[in-house]
């Protein structure tokens, strides 16, 4: 029995970090409100405008926290919070997303450090914008230096408070002060933004049960810590 439990734990850990395996869980993602930042009551839109460059391509966009809903294969619906990982992609919803990512292990570890330490610190527009800038930096710099002023991803215009806070968090990750507390949930889809979220959006049947069960447990642990 102990051997079986160890085997299941190993399979669960592998599934969580897997790159969108065949038969991976799929959810349909929609907006809670009239735009991706609002809740169903049209409130709590936490974002700020920022300008940035990725590999020489310039963009100006809203940087903040999405308030979204996901419908699983069994019809269950749950609201969740998320951030964008692709700063040059347009968010197009509704769209089916698959649980998984092609990002490298170093990037996933850094995103895990950001989620595990910074997500609970997002309490308004400034911190939401800072978290988004930090997530873009991590997702697009590979294992390179996390510096918002140089590299493949560069912030060219943002509020001083958001930019300073984001760089402070990134420095914490680089120094090892902020370590990853576990795997992260990423929802991926072609033709729209991939999404970073701290919990599994909805329970799903079949192949996704093991994966999302482990992620839901992580979400519960984090909620207890925050309490």
């Amino acid at each position: 029995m102990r051997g079986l439990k160890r085997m299941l734990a190993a399979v669960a850990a592998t599934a969580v970090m897997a790159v969108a395996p065949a038969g991976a869980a799929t959810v349909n993602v929609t907006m809670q409100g009239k735009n991706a930042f609002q809740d169903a009551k049209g409130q709590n839109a936490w974002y700020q405008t920022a300008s940035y460059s990725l590999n020489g391509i310039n963009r100006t966009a809203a940087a903040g926290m999405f308030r979204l809903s996901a419908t699983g294969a069994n019809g269950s619906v749950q609201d969740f919070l998320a951030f964008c990982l692709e700063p040059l992609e347009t968010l197009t919803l509704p769209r089916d997303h698959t649980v998984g990512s092609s990002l490298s292990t170093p990037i996933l570890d850094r995103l895990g450090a950001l989620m595990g330490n910074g997500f609970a610190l997002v309490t308004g527009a400034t911190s939401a914008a800072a978290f988004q800038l930090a997530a873009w930096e991590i997702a697009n710099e590979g294992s390179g230096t996390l510096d918002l002023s140089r590299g493949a991803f560069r912030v060219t215009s943002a509020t001083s408070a958001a930019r300073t806070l984001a760089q402070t968090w990134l420095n914490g990750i680089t120094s090892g002060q902020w370590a990853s507390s576990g795997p992260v949930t990423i929802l991926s889809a072609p033709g729209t933004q991939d999404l970073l979220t701290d919990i599994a959006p909805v329970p799903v049947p079949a192949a996704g049960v093991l994966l999302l069960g482990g992620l839901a447990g992580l979400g519960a642990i984090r909620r207890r810590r925050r309490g």
Side-chain angles (χ1 to χ4, degrees):
M1 180 61 70
R2 291 180 181 176
L4 177 59
K5 288 182 178 179
R6 286 195 296 268
M7 182 183 70
L8 290 176
V11 171
T14 301
V16 167
M17 297 303 295
V19 178
T26 299
V27 293
N28 184 261
V29 178
T30 58
M31 296 182 291
Q32 292 182 26
K34 293 183 179 180
N35 65 56
F37 298 102
Q38 295 179 345
D39 59 25
K41 296 182 179 179
Q43 301 174 345
N44 298 309
W46 294 352
Y47 68 89
Q48 293 179 350
T49 300
S51 297
Y52 48 85
S53 172
L54 177 59
N55 297 322
I57 301 175
N58 299 312
R59 288 286 190 275
T60 297
M65 184 169 68
F66 296 144
R67 299 180 184 274
L68 305 173
S69 296
T71 303
N74 61 358
S76 60
V77 180
Q78 184 175 326
D79 294 338
F80 68 102
L81 306 174
F83 291 86
C84 167
L85 290 177
E86 298 177 293
L88 300 183
E89 186 69 78
T90 300
L91 182 65
T92 304
L93 298 176
R95 186 66 60 88
D96 286 342
H97 283 67
T98 300
V99 179
S101 173
S102 60
L103 294 174
S104 67
T105 297
I107 291 177
L108 292 174
D109 286 343
R110 285 176 163 184
L111 289 175
L114 180 64
M115 291 297 294
N117 296 275
F119 189 82
L121 303 179
V122 177
T123 57
T126 297
S127 51
F131 194 101
Q132 181 60 88
L133 295 177
W136 279 335
E137 173 73 15
I138 292 170
N140 293 281
E141 287 296 349
S143 58
T145 301
L146 298 178
D147 187 337
L148 293 173
S149 64
R150 61 191 179 94
F153 178 81
R154 305 182 183 187
V155 175
T156 55
S157 177
T159 66
S160 176
R163 183 168 184 161
T164 299
L165 184 58
Q167 189 61 59
T168 299
W169 292 349
L170 291 170
N171 292 343
I173 294 171
T174 300
S175 68
Q177 181 180 357
W178 276 17
S180 178
S181 59
V184 294
T185 308
I186 295 176
L187 304 180
S188 303
T192 189
Q193 294 173 3
D194 290 352
L195 304 171
L196 171 68
T197 180
D198 73 328
I199 60 172
V202 291
V204 295
V209 170
L210 183 61
L211 171 61
L212 294 187
L215 295 172
L218 283 172
I221 291 172
R222 286 174 182 162
R223 285 192 293 273
R224 288 197 296 272
R225 287 177 177 171
R226 293 171 197 163

